[in-house]
Amino acid sequence: MNEGLGPLAGRRIVVGVSGSIAAYKAVSLVRMLGDRGAVVDVAMTAAATRFVGPLTFESLTHRPVLDDVFELDAEQQIAHIELAEAADAIVLAPATANLIGELAAGLVGDAVTAIACASRAPVIVAPAMDAGMWTHPATQRNVATLRDFGYILVEPEVGELASGLTGIGRLAEPPTIVAAVEHLFARAGDLEGLHVVVSAGGTREPLDPVRFIGNRSSGKMGAALAEAARDRGAAVTLIAGVMSVTPPRGVTVIEATTAHAMRESVLRAAPNADILVMAAAVADFAPARASQRKIKRSGDTLQIELVPNPDIVAEVGEMPDEVRPFLIGFAAESNDLEANAAAKLRDKGLDLIVGNVVGGPFDAIGSDENKVTVFAAEGALTDWPMLPKRQVAERLWDLIADRYRHSRGATESTTSPRRRRS
Ligand code: CTP
C-alpha cells in the first residue's frame, strides 16, 4: 500500500455503483483509490448488488456498504447525510442510463441517488451502457443536464460491450477514472485567496419599453468559468448580462443587462479583482434614444440611430498597474480568428484572449461545447479540440492560474508590486 502522499491522501470519496455488468470494475477502482490513501465509502443500488456482493467492497474498504437508505433507522439515515456532507468527491462508476436519468431528473430512490443529491461535493460520472442506449437522445439530454450541474464526465470508451457487439459505451478503465479524481484534487484550491470576476451573457440595448437590440449569447461559457473558479477556491463575482442558464451557486451575482450597466459594474469590481475574465457579449452599439413609449407600427420605414457603446475591457486594460487585474478577453470571430484575436489582445491591453468561432458549423454561441484557441502576445498557446464548456473552463483556469502566478512573480520582483487587497 502506497503511503498516500498524492492528491488523494486522506480524501473522503464515495463511490456509487449502479447495476451494470461493469460493476466488477468498480472493485479495482475502489482498491486503487484506497491504495492512494483515500478513505472510500461505497454506495450501491439494489441492481448493483446483484452483480457484485457488498461484502466484496466491505472487505476492501473495511467500512459498511450503503445499499438501502430507506431500510435504515433515523440515526443511520442521518449518518448517510453526514457522509454526503463529509465527502470530498463522489464517483459514480459504473453509471447506468437509469442512474443518469434519475440524477438528471432529481429523483432520489436509493443510497446512490440520495448521497449524490444531498452532497455538494464534485461528482464524477463514468457511464457504462450499450451503445444504442448511450447515443439515445434521452441519455444524451440527461448527460447534458448533469454537465450543466457541473458533474465531470469520464467518457465511456469504444470496445466490446456486454451484448458482444463493439461500440461506444464501455466503462472507462479504472486508471482513467482514478486520473480524473486525482486531477480534480490536484487543481482544487489553486485559485484559493483570489477574487475572480467573470462577466457572462449578452447585453440588451432598449429601443422602447418592450423591444431591444440583443445577441444570441447564452452565458454558458461564462457560467462554466465562474463555477470552475469557485470549485478551485476563488471568491467569484459573476457580472451577469442576459443568460439562458442559471448562475452557479456560491458566487456573487451582479445583474447588468445593458452595456452601460455592465461597464459600471465591471469598472467598480475590477480594482478589487485579481483576475477579470470578460466572457460577456457586449453590444457594440445602442439606440441613441430609447423611446419611453412603445414605437407604433406605421407604413413608413423606421430609422434607428445607433451610437457606439464604450469598450469596457479596453478601459480596464488602461487602468494603472496597481489596480488593473490580470485581464482575459474573448474574441468572437466569424473569420480570420488568429489575426483578429491578436489585434484585440493588443488594442484592448489584455494579458490573454480566448478566440472562438461564431456562426457556421462550429458556432460557439448557445452551444454546450466550444472549440477555443488561447492567444498571448507571443501567439497561439493552445490546440484544443471541441470540448464541453465546463472542460474548456477547467483548461482555461489551468492556463490562466499558471500565467497569473508568473505575472505576479515577475511584478513582485520589480519595483511596482501589485497592490494586495483585502
Ligand atoms: N467587449 C467589451 N466592451 C464592448 C465590446 C466588447 O468589453 N463594448 C469585450 C468582450 O467582452 C470581449 C472582447 O471585448 O472580451 C472582444 O469582444 P468582441 O465582441 O469579440 O469584439 P469587439 O471589440 O466588439 O469587436 P468586433 O465586434 O468588431 O469584432
Side-chain angles (χ1 to χ4, degrees):
M1 174 121 153
N2 151 336
E3 280 309 299
L5 293 174
L8 299 190
R11 298 290 189 172
R12 297 282 307 263
I13 297 174
V14 177
V15 175
V17 185
S18 58
S20 148
I21 175 70
Y24 75 92
K25 286 192 187 172
V27 177
S28 338
L29 172 67
V30 166
R31 201 188 45 235
M32 289 176 72
L33 293 170
D35 283 352
R36 284 161 178 72
V39 178
V40 184
D41 284 283
V42 175
M44 302 178 79
T45 64
T49 62
R50 298 175 66 181
F51 289 95
V52 181
L55 194 57
T56 307
F57 290 113
E58 289 183 347
S59 314
L60 277 174
T61 61
H62 309 290
R63 302 169 76 80
V65 161
L66 322 173
D67 54 2
D68 192 350
V69 271
F70 301 104
E71 278 186 1
L72 303 174
D73 59 35
E75 200 173 302
Q76 286 170 308
Q77 286 206 18
I78 288 167
H80 288 150
I81 298 298
E82 279 170 2
L83 174 63
E85 281 172 7
D88 294 309
I90 294 176
V91 182
L92 305 174
T96 57
N98 196 57
L99 176 65
I100 290 170
E102 285 174 334
L103 291 166
L107 297 176
V108 174
D110 54 38
V112 176
T113 44
I115 289 181
C117 201
S119 178
R120 288 296 162 262
V123 180
I124 293 177
V125 187
M129 66 195 75
D130 170 73
M133 286 185 201
W134 172 250
T135 50
H136 191 281
T139 310
Q140 288 302 309
R141 183 196 59 206
N142 292 334
V143 167
T145 303
L146 297 191
R147 281 197 176 113
D148 280 348
F149 293 169
Y151 288 18
I152 298 159
L153 208 81
V154 182
E155 299 280 343
E157 295 176 356
V158 175
E160 196 183 327
L161 302 170
S163 60
L165 299 172
T166 298
I168 184 156
R170 256 167 74 111
L171 179 68
E173 290 305 316
T176 309
I177 303 172
V178 170
V181 186
E182 283 183 328
H183 190 57
L184 178 76
F185 290 121
R187 68 187 179 219
D190 65 354
L191 299 177
E192 200 85 54
L194 298 182
H195 180 203
V196 165
V197 176
V198 178
S199 72
T203 61
R204 282 183 177 175
E205 311 301 324
L207 279 162
D208 72 10
V210 291
R211 302 185 181 93
F212 55 82
I213 295 179
N215 60 64
R216 294 192 293 117
S217 171
S218 63
K220 286 181 185 172
M221 191 64 243
L225 280 161
E227 186 173 62
R230 175 202 69 191
D231 290 347
R232 289 163 176 250
V236 181
T237 301
L238 178 68
I239 300 181
V242 179
M243 297 174 59
S244 66
V245 289
T246 318
R249 279 175 290 208
V251 311
T252 304
V253 179
I254 298 172
E255 286 185 9
T257 50
T258 63
H260 281 278
M262 185 163 281
R263 172 178 178 272
E264 210 170 287
S265 301
V266 169
L267 295 186
R268 191 172 312 129
N272 295 311
D274 296 287
I275 301 173
L276 169 64
V277 184
M278 274 299 284
V282 185
D284 289 327
F285 299 92
R289 284 164 300 278
S291 168
Q292 296 300 311
R293 293 179 171 200
K294 188 176 169 218
I295 301 168
K296 289 310 233 182
R297 183 215 301 259
S298 77
D300 296 338
T301 311
L302 176 66
Q303 302 260 5
I304 299 169
E305 192 190 347
L306 298 177
V307 291
N309 277 332
D311 188 331
I312 306 169
V313 84
E315 285 189 58
V316 179
E318 284 174 0
M319 287 180 166
D321 274 359
E322 313 83 78
V323 289
R324 177 188 173 280
F326 190 78
L327 196 54
I328 299 100
F330 270 69
E333 306 297 342
S334 56
N335 52 282
D336 302 315
L337 180 65
E338 178 148 11
N340 288 333
K344 285 178 188 172
L345 179 88
R346 190 185 57 238
D347 297 346
K348 294 172 188 260
L350 307 174
D351 294 295
L352 295 171
I353 192 157
V354 183
N356 53 189
V357 176
V358 290
F362 297 110
D363 193 5
I365 301 180
S367 168
D368 290 328
E369 298 191 322
N370 202 359
K371 178 166 168 38
V372 306
T373 309
V374 186
F375 301 90
E378 67 269 31
L381 302 178
T382 62
D383 181 16
W384 297 337
M386 176 76 85
L387 292 167
K389 284 183 173 171
R390 175 65 197 234
Q391 284 181 35
V392 175
E394 296 295 354
R395 290 190 182 203
L396 285 175
W397 282 121
D398 285 343
L399 201 153
I400 296 167
D402 189 50
R403 290 261 162 168
Y404 168 75
R405 272 191 297 272
H406 277 95
S407 79
R408 199 174 57 161
T411 315
E412 278 173 357
S413 65
T414 69
T415 48
S416 59
R418 267 181 58 87
R419 182 161 69 84
R420 296 306 308 157
R421 296 165 295 266
S422 57

